[in-house]
Amino acid sequence: MYYNHLSAADPTIAKLMKGEEHRQITGLELIASENYVSPAIMEAMGSVLNNRYSEGYPGRRYYGGQEFTDQIEQIAIDRAKALFRCEHANVQPHAGAPANIATYLALAEPGSTILGMELAHGGHLTHGHPVTHVAKIYNFVRYRMSDVETGRIDYDEMREVARREKPKILLAGFSAYPRELDYKVMREIATEVGAWAVADVAHIAGLIVGKQLANPFDAGFDVVLTTTHKSLRGPRGGMILSREASTGKLIDKSVFPSFQGGPIMQMVAAKAVAFQEAARPEFVDYAAQIIANAKTLAATLMERGARLITNGTDNHLMLVDSVSSWALSGGVAEKRLDEVGITLNKNMIPDEPRSAMDPSGVRMGTPALTTRGMKEAEMAQVADLIHRTLSAKDDNVLPGIREEVIGLAKRFPVPGISLPAGDSLA
Ligand SMILES: *Cc1c(COP(=O)(O)O)cnc(C)c1O
């Protein structure tokens, strides 16, 4: 991209942003929560909408001059409702974590209990990790996998815990679980104990609207919340969807004025653009390719002898036990792969024997590489590059692997970024 004004006004920042562009073009992005947005979404994000204050909701604002912003937010809302097939959407959460907090506070009194997935079994920080504020506000209790070889969740245990603990919210959702949850059974359990059924689909939203994974609303879930920037491939942000308009009223009030201030209107516009992209037939092909790519990446790693938690994947991500696979901690594996331009993150595995700072595994996912147009053949090549990097006995081989990574990355451009003529990819 060309930063004409920025380069003149602040060359220091412009240069660093150029560096990041170069890193993205020449590297292979396997962070399961990352993606590349379209140039159209980029334009919406970097726009005059930043200049507005629009506290409130369309038609009910605290500031004048909302002729255009009201229409933009209403279109975002309507597109979100159509995508997820529900009665209500709040598109104002600044990110996923605020969407989680606003949902909890809308539906459960402080001090009440929330039943969510065990964090080391795939649950997210925002589902009550001890370091979070919400863990001090709510009493979090857990369900987990009964078998890490298959990823099976013990729904009998979940029902038992729900009967005993009487949660106000039964929370589905994860950021490191490679299988699907049984939303029907979870809905039944929530109904039995009088809990709201809430799904946090931050990671898999794109796979749901791309018709590859189940939509929790089809099982009767009350609320589905998500980020908009992961597999959904939109701007950074969050949103909260409600099956019924009456629940949506509680959510709206909780997001504003109870929790957030003004919406970030350029992100609301960019969400609208992303929802239109996600409604196209091509997005169904994209979502299917994400999963096909993940299955190939997982299968090829396993052929090379890697140990995957649950022995594979049904979605876009996989969790690899790097200690068993290559005798490297997750932290060391992450650093070694950084050196060759393959980006992923260290991650805890179920019943983690090491520490959160240097756990036993790495997580990887395919949404970003799939956006670049890579398919099964490239995934097999990526798996091979990872395996060779992590099993190398000698650092001398790393520069050669780095060249191969650049060669592969070069063939698949990043949307919206082109290198100026003469810029080398070294
Ligand atoms: C990423 C994620 C979040 C948090 O989203 P942020 O935009 O980083 O705040 C919440 N829940 C789940 C399940 C996630 O994967």
Side-chain angles (χ1 to χ4, degrees):
M1 297 175 88
Y2 295 93
Y3 304 114
N4 298 335
H5 298 283
L6 185 60
S7 298
D10 194 335
T12 311
I13 292 296
K15 187 155 179 275
L16 293 169
M17 286 171 60
K18 276 283 164 203
E20 173 60 22
E21 272 187 23
H22 194 266
R23 192 193 68 81
Q24 290 190 16
I25 294 170
T26 61
L28 295 173
E29 189 56 71
L30 283 167
I31 293 179
S33 48
E34 292 198 4
N35 215 328
Y36 307 104
V37 293
S38 69
I41 291 172
M42 283 280 188
E43 280 180 9
M45 287 193 287
S47 68
V48 294
L49 291 170
N50 183 70
N51 303 343
R52 290 311 330 269
Y53 237 110
S54 308
E55 284 181 346
Y57 293 101
R60 299 175 280 144
R61 305 280 192 195
Y62 288 75
Y63 297 85
Q66 308 293 342
E67 184 184 352
F68 301 104
T69 44
D70 269 4
Q71 293 182 64
I72 288 168
E73 184 170 351
Q74 192 58 53
I75 290 169
I77 290 168
D78 293 341
R79 287 178 182 172
K81 291 191 313 194
L83 268 186
F84 282 87
R85 301 190 300 279
C86 59
E87 289 183 5
H88 185 274
N90 186 308
V91 297
Q92 293 192 4
H94 300 332
N100 276 274
I101 297 170
T103 301
Y104 302 156
L105 290 166
L107 305 179
E109 290 290 316
S112 50
T113 296
I114 298 176
L115 174 53
M117 195 167 195
E118 177 72 46
L119 300 175
H121 286 224
H124 189 257
L125 201 65
T126 55
H127 301 173
H129 189 284
V131 303
T132 62
H133 290 310
V134 290
K136 301 185 190 91
I137 300 174
Y138 295 104
N139 168 41
F140 282 88
V141 292
R142 304 287 169 201
Y143 58 89
R144 55 186 58 79
M145 284 185 248
S146 54
D147 178 8
V148 296
E149 297 301 325
T150 61
R152 213 185 74 80
I153 302 284
D154 190 340
Y155 291 99
D156 294 332
E157 184 206 43
M158 186 191 293
R159 193 184 299 270
E160 226 168 82
V161 177
R163 282 178 180 158
R164 188 175 68 234
E165 301 283 349
K166 302 263 176 297
K168 275 280 154 51
I169 294 174
L170 176 55
L171 186 60
F174 46 78
S175 53
Y177 178 65
R179 302 292 178 183
E180 261 209 288
L181 295 174
D182 189 336
Y183 298 121
K184 271 215 185 79
V185 172
M186 294 186 75
R187 172 71 266 184
E188 279 170 27
I189 294 172
T191 302
E192 185 189 326
V193 302
W196 294 95
V198 174
D200 175 357
V201 300
H203 260 261
I204 57 173
L207 304 175
I208 292 170
V209 307
K211 300 182 168 56
Q212 305 303 309
L213 295 183
N215 180 342
F217 283 133
D218 290 341
F221 265 58
D222 300 298
V223 172
V224 174
L225 67 97
T226 184
T227 61
T228 49
H229 51 273
K230 298 182 184 175
S231 60
L232 194 50
R233 206 163 66 182
R236 294 202 83 87
M239 90 171 139
I240 307 170
L241 303 138
S242 303
R243 187 164 50 89
E244 293 179 358
S246 57
T247 311
K249 278 207 172 108
L250 301 174
I251 298 289
D252 278 355
K253 192 168 159 293
S254 181
V255 171
F256 178 87
S258 300
F259 182 40
Q260 290 189 166
I264 304 177
M265 207 37 90
Q266 69 270 40
M267 292 304 173
V268 171
K271 286 172 192 175
V273 178
F275 300 156
Q276 190 185 52
E277 289 181 8
R280 293 195 189 121
E282 302 92 279
F283 201 85
V284 174
D285 300 336
Y286 169 59
Q289 191 66 52
I290 289 175
I291 295 179
N293 282 353
K295 285 186 182 293
T296 301
L297 185 60
T300 314
L301 286 168
M302 287 189 294
E303 276 166 28
R304 300 284 188 283
R307 176 179 176 251
L308 269 64
I309 304 305
T310 84
N311 290 298
T313 181
D314 293 325
N315 57 28
H316 64 299
L317 69 81
M318 62 211 73
L319 192 55
V320 186
D321 178 340
S322 57
V323 172
S324 305
S325 304
W326 300 287
L328 298 175
S329 72
V332 171
E334 178 191 298
K335 273 222 174 65
R336 174 95 62 100
L337 287 164
D338 250 342
E339 279 182 47
V340 301
I342 295 175
T343 318
L344 46 60
N345 63 286
K346 57 183 180 284
N347 210 99
M348 288 197 292
I349 62 170
D351 310 313
E352 177 60 57
R354 298 173 56 90
S355 74
M357 278 316 295
D358 193 12
S360 307
V362 290
R363 186 188 67 165
M364 49 186 100
T366 53
L369 292 186
T370 307
T371 293
R372 286 173 84 158
M374 293 191 192
K375 295 206 161 70
E376 287 89 336
E378 288 77 32
M379 292 306 112
Q381 204 179 333
V382 171
D384 184 61
L385 289 164
I386 291 170
H387 177 69
R388 279 160 49 209
T389 304
L390 297 183
S391 54
K393 293 279 169 280
D394 187 338
D395 280 358
N396 290 341
V397 301
L398 298 186
I401 297 176
R402 174 69 189 133
E403 284 308 310
E404 287 182 61
V405 166
I406 292 171
L408 176 58
K410 246 167 125 167
R411 287 172 37 224
F412 296 88
V414 175
I417 316 181
S418 51
L419 284 179
D423 193 343
S424 97
L425 274 174

